Amino acid sequence: MKKILVLTLCFVFATTLFVGCNKEKAVNKTGEEKNMSDREELEKNMFGWEIPNETIQISHFYASAQNPDKTEKETKAMRDYLLKEFNVELNKIVYDTDSNERLNLMLASNKYPDIITGLSLQEAKKWADLGKAIELSQYIESDSELSNKYGEILNRFTDKEGKIYYLSSGWGFLPIPDYAVHIRYDYWKELGEPSVATPEEYFNVLKQMQALHPTNENGEKVYALSTRGWNNTFNTLAGIWGIKDGYKENTNHELTHWVNTPEGLEMALWINQFHLNDMLDPDSFINKFEDWKAKTSNERILGHIGGWWTTWNAGHEVWQKTDENWTEEKRFIQVKVKSENVDEAYYTPVNTTGGSYTIITDKCKDPESVIKWFNFEISDMGTKLMGWGVPNTENSLWNTDGTEWSFVEEKKQDVINSTLDYTNLQETVSGGRFCLVGGTGLKEDKTTYYFDQNFNDLAKWKKLMNDNLADTIYDHSAFKGIVFPPQERATFIKQQVKDMLLSGWAEVVTASSQEECETKFFELRDKLSNVGIKELEEFVTIQYKANLERYYK
């Protein structure tokens, strides 16, 4: 198996990595080479794209570990479509190894493709600082799609000299939740849906639910609250107490880590209550997703704090297939729980600048052609094509003539009714498989890159979730723009704080009394102080203030 993998990677590396944004002869629908240079003028396809005489090859490394064989299958439909209709060969290079190791290997060998995408902001700046990324502002015209769509966000990419070395993908504001507090709906309804608006109310309702359902049908213990690991939970938990992304902000925009706040102690004492009443899943501190999913699917969990999709995936999406008596109310729903002492709960921070970054490296010999593609991809129709996949086929999610468009009604209803069969969908239309500079925020026509997020107001349970959590979503781009260079002491402190919180939190919240919990919490705070958490707060505050001034001036 290892030999096959090595051979596959070598083949992919050799055949794709260095092809890049070059040009070659075009291929017609039958696969035969033809000389397109005889055209008197460039033809346009239905999207208004000027089809180049020579094929534009755009090879890009996606800096995230993915299976090469799976990626090959899931991108084939779109790659074939783009070659046929645009004369563009979009080649996505992935490896199922650690992306940071791969990036370092590329730098060490000085062998890397013409485009790298999926980079963190820190990595993008690193490649720029090393002179490996070309300067892009010289190619971005003021009236281009890139300039118009990015708008003011484009200025966030500039360095002190006004130069741009990277662009982003996944930019824009999409007002849908990522994180939530969850409750088993049918059991909650059984109680008459009493209020769960505050932490204490949520606790009391889960306690009543557990009393009514102490075990599942197999006699296994049911827990009121579980998580799939606290590292994925701290910030959402803190959001119940009005803390944004793990840091409390004062009126002067100074940031304090949640563990150094009075709210942090309240959080610990609240979770400790679950433990003292035998309501907390003891595996919460070590759960991997598949383990947590199995426990949830086996109806052993009543409440959860974390990503909204997790209880969908582990709950009704399983039960509707395995329970012949399943009804739509047998599910988890997502609710807002907020401390009475704060004005708002903050669960979902949005980075309007973008989720990842793209550079054109110094290996690229034809950046103009790449920019031409970027200008199309970032356009409204380009976003729809890359997000929703190949149009006008029997498997398509949408149809278009290049100007007008419509959803395939059957697929739309499948999303609304939560019955869309995603099996092999990527292999037939390749939606969402490429995003080099595309935005995922809400467009002027109220559509978005994600096909299944276009009908939330029509989908009963999605609408309920979005309505419940509308006020918990907030723009936190300035905070997300904070960079932790490897050589900074704050970077080292940040990792220490993370590691110590994960190990110390379990001891705090599993204390044998509220008094002991409080004592252990302050002991943990002191330990974090000794490793420099105050320095970390000062570091993030300085960058945060600078980004606020830069982003919103």
Side-chain angles (χ1 to χ4, degrees), residues 395-415:
N395 298 306
S396 293
L397 304 174
W398 69 305
N399 294 314
T400 183
D401 62 4
T403 303
E404 302 294 327
W405 61 271
S406 63
F407 294 119
V408 174
E409 188 63 27
E410 179 184 358
K411 297 296 197 303
K412 172 182 173 180
Q413 292 302 320
D414 284 342
V415 172

Side-chain angles (χ1 to χ4, degrees), residues 455-483:
F455 320 107
N456 288 336
D457 287 343
L458 302 175
K460 175 181 177 180
W461 300 104
K462 280 281 186 71
K463 185 178 189 307
L464 176 65
M465 174 178 68
N466 290 350
D467 289 346
N468 286 345
L469 302 175
D471 296 333
T472 68
I473 306 163
Y474 59 101
D475 181 353
H476 210 29
S477 306
F479 183 83
K480 295 297 187 183
I482 295 173
V483 175

Side-chain angles (χ1 to χ4, degrees), residues 227-244:
T227 74
R228 61 184 189 99
W230 280 98
N231 192 42
N232 299 305
T233 307
F234 284 133
N235 288 355
T236 309
L237 177 63
I240 295 174
W241 276 267
I243 293 174
K244 295 180 177 180

Side-chain angles (χ1 to χ4, degrees), residues 502-518:
L502 285 176
S503 60
W505 180 252
E507 185 177 352
V508 170
V509 300
T510 58
S512 58
S513 68
Q514 291 269 278
E515 292 76 18
E516 184 184 359
C517 176
E518 183 171 343

Side-chain angles (χ1 to χ4, degrees), residues 121-163:
L121 180 57
Q122 177 180 311
E123 278 291 339
K125 288 187 174 184
K126 174 183 174 180
W127 280 68
D129 291 342
L130 291 172
K132 305 297 186 180
I134 68 171
E135 205 280 319
L136 300 175
S137 61
Q138 58 186 313
Y139 303 107
I140 301 175
E141 299 178 4
S142 59
D143 61 345
S144 66
E145 288 285 353
L146 283 168
S147 181
N148 292 333
K149 296 305 181 186
Y150 276 129
E152 64 179 17
I153 292 175
L154 197 61
N155 293 325
R156 300 179 188 177
F157 306 143
T158 57
D159 63 12
K160 294 179 180 179
E161 298 177 355
K163 296 182 178 181

